């Protein structure tokens, strides 16, 4: 009889508790809750924004010039870029051989930045393939198993670039094998464990002379750029193929606004686990509901991502908002299971106490 009374309407009670938590314990007084919230928010602030450095978005003059013979002159920092993914990138992702040829006349190395000659990229953070200069070293960043979203660590060939000495760079990606030649001499040959293009995204863009947000300045001249996909060839310096914007809104890294287009599993798990404490703190607040906890996670994560537009080295991403909010939900679940376990323990004690005198 006692068990029947205590178990009445249990599904309805569980649903209510899932949507609206009761207070976990009288120990969690308002000062304790406020202190927990402050600790969590301060931890997020320093984890995301430290060291404190802020740069407001600004416009940068694009100084690339097009010569009389159609060559791109990068005497000063500039970029030629596409605003849409190249039509051939999807074919490359499906396995078509990719070959890139660059005829280059290097200028002086930039004193502060790598020189990015060619890139299939989303910006400073996130690229599939790039050909770069670091003093006299040729770097090839290629996204594959064992690299991060930037293709790091890169493949290297030393002694390639000398100021004023023209050279021809030829890159070939055929299946899992990457080959780079300089003036017909092989300087890089690397075979990956599987075809790296399985990890590529077909929505990336093209850039010559820098990244699309002006963070990797190549100084010199690019007189010829050809991409060959299978049997088809594409001249990137042909009129209308790439754009030459007069000014560029400079962001340290362009935000990722398409969900799950380019998500890294490790980052996703870190974001989820990092917001579990916020979900826990929000769930123990008086009057907390499932929807208020989700709204709190969404608001705080969205604010962090928006502020990151002004923070060098950070990448605003809608994926981070989604995974952070998921972490807040997981924190809510922890409190729900804890509250349910405490309730079950209380019922067992009540049953035992009611059965004792009757016995």
């Amino acid at each position: 009889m006692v068990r029947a009374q205590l178990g009445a309407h249990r599904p309805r009670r569980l649903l209510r508790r899932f949507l609206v938590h009761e207070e976990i314990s009288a120990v969690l007084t308002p000062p304790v809750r406020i202190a927990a919230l402050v600790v969590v928010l301060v931890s997020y602030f320093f984890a995301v924004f430290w060291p404190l450095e802020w740069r407001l978005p600004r416009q940068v003059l694009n100084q690339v010039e097009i010569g009389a013979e159609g060559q791109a002159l990068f005497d000063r920092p500039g970029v030629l870029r596409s605003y849409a993914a190249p039509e051939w990138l999807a074919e490359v992702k499906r396995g078509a051989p990719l070959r890139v040829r660059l005829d280059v006349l290097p200028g002086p190395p930039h004193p502060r930045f790598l020189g990015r000659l060619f890139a299939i990229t989303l910006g400073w953070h996130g690229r599939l393939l790039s050909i770069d200069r670091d003093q006299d070293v040729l770097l090839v960043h290629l996204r594959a198993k064992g690299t991060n979203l930037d293709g790091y660590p890169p493949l290297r060939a030393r002694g390639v670039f000398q100021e004023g000495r023209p050279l021809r760079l030829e890159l070939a990606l055929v299946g899992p094998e990457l080959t780079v030649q300089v003036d017909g001499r092989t300087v890089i040959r690397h075979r990956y464990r599987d075809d790296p293009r399985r990890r590529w995204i077909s929505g990336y863009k093209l850039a010559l002379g820098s990244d699309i947000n002006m963070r990797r300045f190549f100084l010199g001249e690019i007189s010829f750029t050809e991409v060959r996909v299978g049997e088809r060839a594409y001249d990137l310096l042909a009129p209308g193929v790439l754009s030459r914007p007069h000014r560029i809104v400079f962001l340290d890294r362009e935000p990722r606004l398409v969900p799950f287009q380019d998500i890294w599993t490790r980052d996703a798990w870190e974001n989820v686990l990092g917001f579990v404490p916020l979900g826990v703190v929000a769930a123990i607040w008086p009057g907390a509901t499932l929807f208020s906890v989700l709204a709190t996670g969404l608001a705080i994560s969205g604010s962090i991502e928006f502020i990151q537009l002004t923070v060098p080295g950070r990448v605003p991403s809608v994926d981070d908002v989604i995974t952070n909010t998921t972490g807040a939900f997981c924190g809510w679940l922890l409190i729900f299971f804890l509250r349910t376990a405490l309730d079950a323990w209380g019922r067992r004690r009540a049953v035992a106490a009611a059965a004792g005198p009757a016995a």
Side-chain angles (χ1 to χ4, degrees), residues 23-29 33:
E23 292 188 22
I24 282 292
S25 170
V27 177
L28 300 177
T29 59
R33 295 190 183 95

Side-chain angles (χ1 to χ4, degrees), residues 25 89 120 153 203 223 242 279 304 329 352:
S25 170
L89 187 53
I120 306 173
S223 58
L242 297 179
I304 289 174
F329 174 72

Side-chain angles (χ1 to χ4, degrees), residues 100 102 115-118 129-133 138-139 169 171:
V100 180
L102 301 173
R116 181 140 297 156
L117 288 79
F118 170 91
L129 170 67
S130 70
I131 302 173
D132 307 318
R133 175 190 183 182
L138 171 69
L139 304 177
L169 301 174
L171 178 146

Side-chain angles (χ1 to χ4, degrees), residues 143-180:
R143 184 183 296 185
K145 187 175 183 178
T147 73
N148 64 10
L149 296 181
D150 294 324
Y152 186 88
L155 303 174
R156 301 172 181 268
R158 300 186 179 278
V160 171
F161 294 100
Q162 295 181 20
E163 182 178 349
R165 182 175 72 86
L167 52 88
R168 173 173 296 179
L169 301 174
E170 295 174 292
L171 178 146
L173 180 59
V174 181
E177 185 165 296
L178 173 73
T179 304
V180 180

Side-chain angles (χ1 to χ4, degrees), residues 56-105:
L56 293 177
R58 63 189 186 278
Q59 286 193 335
V60 178
L61 182 65
N62 186 16
Q63 302 181 83
V64 60
E65 300 290 342
I66 304 300
E69 299 179 0
Q71 71 272 37
L73 305 174
F74 296 96
D75 296 330
R76 289 171 290 183
V79 63
L80 297 175
R81 59 163 294 178
S82 68
Y83 286 92
E87 60 182 17
W88 45 262
L89 187 53
E91 188 176 349
V92 172
K93 179 175 170 56
R94 289 193 296 266
L98 172 66
R99 293 177 173 83
V100 180
R101 172 186 157 188
L102 301 173
D103 290 351
V104 178
L105 180 63

Side-chain angles (χ1 to χ4, degrees), residues 11-284:
R12 184 182 303 174
R13 187 168 60 251
L14 282 176
L15 177 61
R16 182 181 181 278
R17 182 171 297 119
F18 184 77
L19 296 177
V20 182
H21 282 328
E22 302 170 11
E23 292 188 22
I24 282 292
S25 170
V27 177
L28 300 177
T29 59
V32 172
R33 295 190 183 95
I34 293 173
L37 180 61
V38 170
V39 168
V40 169
L41 294 181
V42 170
S43 300
Y44 290 158
F45 179 83
F46 282 99
V48 175
F49 301 121
W50 187 266
L52 301 181
E53 183 179 357
W54 315 91
R55 295 178 188 168
L56 293 177
R58 63 189 186 278
Q59 286 193 335
V60 178
L61 182 65
N62 186 16
Q63 302 181 83
V64 60
E65 300 290 342
I66 304 300
E69 299 179 0
Q71 71 272 37
L73 305 174
F74 296 96
D75 296 330
R76 289 171 290 183
V79 63
L80 297 175
R81 59 163 294 178
S82 68
Y83 286 92
E87 60 182 17
W88 45 262
L89 187 53
E91 188 176 349
V92 172
K93 179 175 170 56
R94 289 193 296 266
L98 172 66
R99 293 177 173 83
V100 180
R101 172 186 157 188
L102 301 173
D103 290 351
V104 178
L105 180 63
H110 195 281
R112 294 178 55 200
F113 298 106
L114 292 177
R116 181 140 297 156
L117 288 79
F118 170 91
I120 306 173
T121 179
L122 278 183
W124 186 22
H125 179 82
R127 56 184 174 270
L128 307 180
L129 170 67
S130 70
I131 302 173
D132 307 318
R133 175 190 183 182
D134 182 10
Q135 302 294 327
D136 69 331
V137 181
L138 171 69
L139 304 177
V140 175
H141 293 84
L142 189 144
R143 184 183 296 185
K145 187 175 183 178
T147 73
N148 64 10
L149 296 181
D150 294 324
Y152 186 88
L155 303 174
R156 301 172 181 268
R158 300 186 179 278
V160 171
F161 294 100
Q162 295 181 20
E163 182 178 349
R165 182 175 72 86
L167 52 88
R168 173 173 296 179
L169 301 174
E170 295 174 292
L171 178 146
L173 180 59
V174 181
E177 185 165 296
L178 173 73
T179 304
V180 180
Q181 293 185 334
V182 177
D183 294 332
R185 177 175 59 91
T186 299
V187 296
I188 294 176
R189 186 185 298 277
H190 185 82
R191 186 175 183 86
Y192 295 91
R193 286 177 286 180
D194 55 15
D195 193 335
R197 291 166 297 182
R198 296 177 183 176
R199 303 173 185 276
W200 286 18
I201 307 296
S202 57
Y204 276 46
K205 303 163 188 177
L206 284 176
L208 293 180
S210 183
D211 250 320
I212 56 179
N213 50 9
M214 296 283 282
R215 286 290 297 180
R216 293 288 185 258
F217 302 140
F218 168 74
L219 299 179
E221 176 183 321
I222 300 178
S223 58
F224 183 80
T225 303
E226 180 185 81
V227 171
R228 184 176 292 274
V229 179
E231 300 301 322
R232 299 184 62 182
Y234 303 86
D235 182 1
L236 300 188
L237 292 179
V241 175
L242 297 179
S243 300
R244 180 187 172 275
H246 180 61
R247 290 181 178 273
I248 295 175
V249 177
F250 183 92
L251 300 173
D252 280 281
R253 298 187 179 185
E254 293 197 352
R256 297 175 180 169
L257 302 178
V258 180
F260 306 119
Q261 182 189 52
D262 195 16
I263 189 169
W264 195 16
T265 304
R266 179 179 174 180
D267 278 348
W269 279 112
E270 288 177 352
N271 289 335
V272 170
L273 294 176
F275 262 61
V276 168
L278 178 66
V280 169
V281 171
I284 64 176

